[in-house]
Amino acid sequence: MEIEEHAGDRLESLVNNVLDWQYMHGSLLKLPPDSGQILARPVDVSLFPCPYPKDLYEIGRDVQTIYNKLYVAVARDEEWLSEILRNLIDSDSFVSTLWKLYEEVKKEGRAQAFSLAIFRSDYMLHVDYDNANRPLPPQLKQVELNTFSVAGGVHSARVSEMHQYLNRIGSYVPFDTLIPQEALPTNPTIYLLTEALQAAHASYVSSKPTDGIRRAVLMPVQPNNVNICDERPIEEILWNHNIPTHRVELEDILESTSLSPSGELIFQSPHTGERLEISVIYYRAGYDEEEYTPTGMAARLQLEKSKAIKCPSLQVQIAGSKKVQQELSMPGVLERFLAPEEAARIRETFMPMYPLDGSDAGRRGRELALNVMPAEKHVLKPSLEGGGHNVYGTAIPEFLRSLPQESWRNYILMEKIAPPTHELSSLVSFRGLYSGPVVSELGVFGVCLWAEDEGGEMETRENSYAGFSLKMKAVGVDEMSVVKGYGCF
């Protein structure tokens, strides 16, 4: 990387320390083969720790267990889910695919009582103004809640460790930046996520006889995966706890696994030939519509029909739809799933959201979305994951008019969060060095492990906070995905 000429020796030294640390600790993205070589580059990161209001972080941390409870309840409420997603099932091809898979699995009955979910709720700070146009104290407002193949836990923990190290060795002193070491919190995300997978594995093993068969975790992954450094450390920790963990591309599932007559998922190791019984399926693939080729569909169906514990289930993945997020913001809906005091705490994190269907709320959403002035303060969201799919501000009216009206219901409209800026920060990316105003996004991880008996009674075995991520982007950049090159950890 070339450092801008005006940056000076101090900044060049700091950037070199950052890059050295990243190379040493696997804070990297793997790139596709180029000229016969496998390349990797450092993950885009902030040179300096980003200040964040402790009280607002604590709100996000403390409501995470309520969010876990909420989305588990939504996933278990088939009647409500099918009703609010009815139009999307007919018109959104990805939602339709997932729902068809769910209904196919349901025909054979539930194979496994236990379920595991890993969530990440993303927030930005939002500043409103009073009648005299004076800024009010910032509030914590939710961007979205992720329910499937939740990423960033390892990267964020690594960058927290990097900032602690750089501060400890005095790298920030030449910049007159004195940070108390205790102001840089330890980020336990890697270990808390792994502990949740260990707990699910133990729940499966305890239900089985002592028969000498080894049980293992299966991790379906995408081909040409750039994000291995966010996945492999979890795999390694599980191996270190004597839990075999194997990565398999979704398209290869049918070749490497089979179902026993009683529904156990059997995996044959390509290295040793050993046949392992899968205890937990930890999905790191299956969130892109393009993955559901006929082979991908058959693979997902085989996994879901098995007795292995799913992390997460199809129902939990479907519950992560943006349409669900929007419906939960409607008056009185949260109270279907939560006690009034819990619903009130969750509602405080919502921004105004609208459907774009033929309902009264939908007509209001269309009015806002189709006129340039109000549209400028909104973002249009489809039910897709991975970043890069949203439409922002004044681009919304033209975008909607380019689509058939019947497809508008596949989107929701959300009022933009208005975050305060950090006036000067330095971000180092594969594009070079950026110094200027930035905005931040807090991600809060949560895990929930539960069991459901034949009568539908639920027992929660674990519901807990599981760490955080903090990302930044330059002011004026709409998206935040680090892997896709928008933001930095």
Side-chain angles (χ1 to χ4, degrees):
M1 167 182 288
E2 293 183 4
I3 306 303
E4 297 174 17
E5 291 182 0
H6 69 271
D9 293 342
R10 295 177 305 161
L11 195 54
E12 183 171 0
S13 175
L14 176 58
V15 170
N16 286 332
N17 278 340
V18 165
L19 295 177
D20 286 350
W21 195 97
Q22 290 187 277
Y23 284 121
M24 287 175 60
H25 294 84
S27 181
L28 305 168
L29 291 179
K30 181 181 177 181
L31 301 180
D34 182 24
S35 302
Q37 296 179 332
I38 299 295
L39 303 178
R41 68 167 176 85
V43 172
D44 298 346
V45 297
S46 58
L47 294 185
F48 299 90
C50 177
Y52 202 87
K54 184 179 179 182
D55 58 332
L56 297 181
Y57 157 75
E58 289 174 344
I59 289 173
R61 178 197 64 192
D62 294 346
V63 301
Q64 186 57 45
T65 53
I66 305 176
Y67 264 116
N68 298 345
K69 177 181 177 181
L70 170 62
Y71 272 79
V72 168
V74 167
R76 295 179 64 241
D77 194 335
E78 181 185 346
E79 178 184 4
W80 187 82
L81 261 184
S82 62
E83 176 61 27
I84 69 113
L85 294 177
R86 181 181 57 204
N87 289 335
L88 263 69
I89 292 168
D90 292 337
S91 61
D92 186 302
S93 58
F94 189 39
V95 174
S96 176
T97 294
L98 296 178
W99 193 261
K100 287 176 182 175
L101 283 168
Y102 166 66
E103 291 197 317
E104 185 67 25
V105 172
K106 190 177 68 170
K107 289 177 185 176
E108 299 193 12
R110 187 173 64 248
Q112 173 57 249
F114 280 94
S115 294
L116 176 65
I118 295 174
F119 300 111
R120 194 190 72 233
S121 185
D122 293 334
Y123 303 94
M124 296 183 79
L125 301 179
H126 176 68
V127 176
D128 270 328
Y129 291 82
D130 64 17
N131 294 333
N133 204 34
R134 292 171 298 199
L136 298 170
Q139 301 169 285
L140 195 70
K141 293 296 182 180
Q142 188 185 65
V143 178
E144 63 182 2
L145 189 133
N146 301 273
T147 67
F148 188 81
S149 187
V150 174
V154 175
H155 285 314
S156 57
R158 290 281 186 257
V159 174
S160 294
E161 293 169 4
M162 181 190 75
H163 288 147
Q164 288 178 322
Y165 168 76
L166 293 172
N167 192 56
R168 190 179 302 117
I169 67 172
S171 293
Y172 299 136
V173 171
F175 300 90
D176 298 323
T177 302
L178 301 177
I179 307 171
Q181 198 68 16
E182 61 271 17
L184 299 176
T186 298
N187 189 340
T189 308
I190 305 173
Y191 304 102
L192 295 179
L193 297 184
T194 309
E195 285 174 7
L197 291 164
Q198 290 176 248
H201 174 79
S203 296
Y204 184 93
V205 170
S206 67
S207 69
K208 294 290 183 175
T210 306
D211 51 14
I213 297 175
R214 286 215 300 169
R215 275 85 189 187
V217 171
L218 187 71
M219 190 186 298
V221 297
Q222 292 187 324
N224 302 314
N225 191 343
V226 303
N227 210 19
I228 61 166
C229 293
D230 197 61
E231 299 171 0
R232 289 284 191 180
I234 293 174
E235 174 189 350
E236 181 182 4
I237 292 171
L238 290 171
W239 274 104
N240 290 341
H241 285 84
N242 297 315
I243 301 175
T245 304
H246 292 276
R247 301 163 60 85
V248 182
E249 292 180 12
L250 197 60
E251 288 276 325
D252 297 334
I253 289 290
L254 296 178
E255 295 180 8
S256 59
T257 69
S258 60
L259 290 179
S260 73
S262 53
E264 286 81 10
L265 185 66
I266 307 301
F267 170 78
Q268 184 164 0
S269 169
H271 309 299
T272 66
E274 180 183 9
R275 288 169 61 82
L276 300 161
E277 182 180 330
I278 297 303
S279 59
V280 180
I281 301 165
Y282 173 40
Y283 285 106
R284 295 301 296 253
Y287 53 84
D288 281 336
E289 185 173 7
E290 293 74 18
E291 296 177 84
Y292 289 92
T293 63
T295 301
M297 288 277 288
R300 184 72 190 268
L301 194 59
Q302 177 157 294
L303 296 176
E304 292 294 325
K305 285 182 175 180
S306 77
K307 287 187 173 180
I309 296 172
K310 288 78 182 179
C311 179
S313 66
L314 275 164
Q315 302 98 294
V316 171
Q317 182 177 4
I318 293 167
S321 164
K322 301 298 186 295
K323 178 62 178 174
V324 169
Q325 182 188 17
Q326 177 266 310
E327 284 290 332
L328 290 173
S329 73
M330 300 297 285
V333 174
L334 285 174
E335 284 74 11
R336 179 184 178 102
F337 305 105
L338 299 173
E341 61 275 12
E342 294 174 320
R345 293 181 69 186
I346 293 298
R347 191 169 285 113
E348 288 178 352
T349 67
F350 287 162
M351 292 296 288
M353 286 176 270
Y354 306 89
L356 295 178
D357 55 21
S359 66
D360 289 344
R363 285 191 289 273
R364 175 58 177 159
R366 292 184 180 200
E367 180 184 348
L368 293 169
L370 292 171
N371 291 283
V372 171
M373 288 187 65
E376 198 278 330
K377 296 183 178 180
H378 291 82
V379 54
L380 190 69
K381 297 185 174 187
S383 289
L384 295 170
E385 299 300 332
H389 305 293
N390 296 338
V391 182
Y392 292 85
T394 56
I396 294 173
E398 182 179 355
F399 175 81
L400 282 177
R401 290 191 176 100
S402 72
L403 302 177
Q405 284 196 26
E406 57 267 24
S407 68
W408 292 1
R409 61 191 180 185
N410 298 344
Y411 295 83
I412 69 163
L413 190 73
M414 177 177 168
E415 186 177 313
K416 280 184 182 178
I417 298 171
T421 62
H422 303 289
E423 286 309 315
L424 183 63
S425 190
S426 295
L427 311 179
V428 59
S429 79
F430 68 96
R431 296 186 182 91
L433 185 68
Y434 167 84
S435 293
V438 298
V439 296
S440 61
E441 180 180 283
L442 172 70
V444 181
F445 291 86
V447 296
C448 194
L449 175 65
W450 72 98
E452 189 172 345
D453 64 24
E454 292 296 332
E457 291 297 316
M458 175 185 163
E459 178 189 359
T460 301
R461 297 293 182 90
E462 180 179 353
N463 177 14
S464 59
Y465 159 84
F468 66 92
S469 68
L470 193 60
K471 294 180 279 190
M472 290 193 287
K473 63 182 179 181
V475 169
V477 175
D478 289 322
E479 298 279 0
M480 183 61 93
S481 171
V482 177
V483 171
K484 293 191 174 182
Y486 299 110
C488 295
F489 284 108

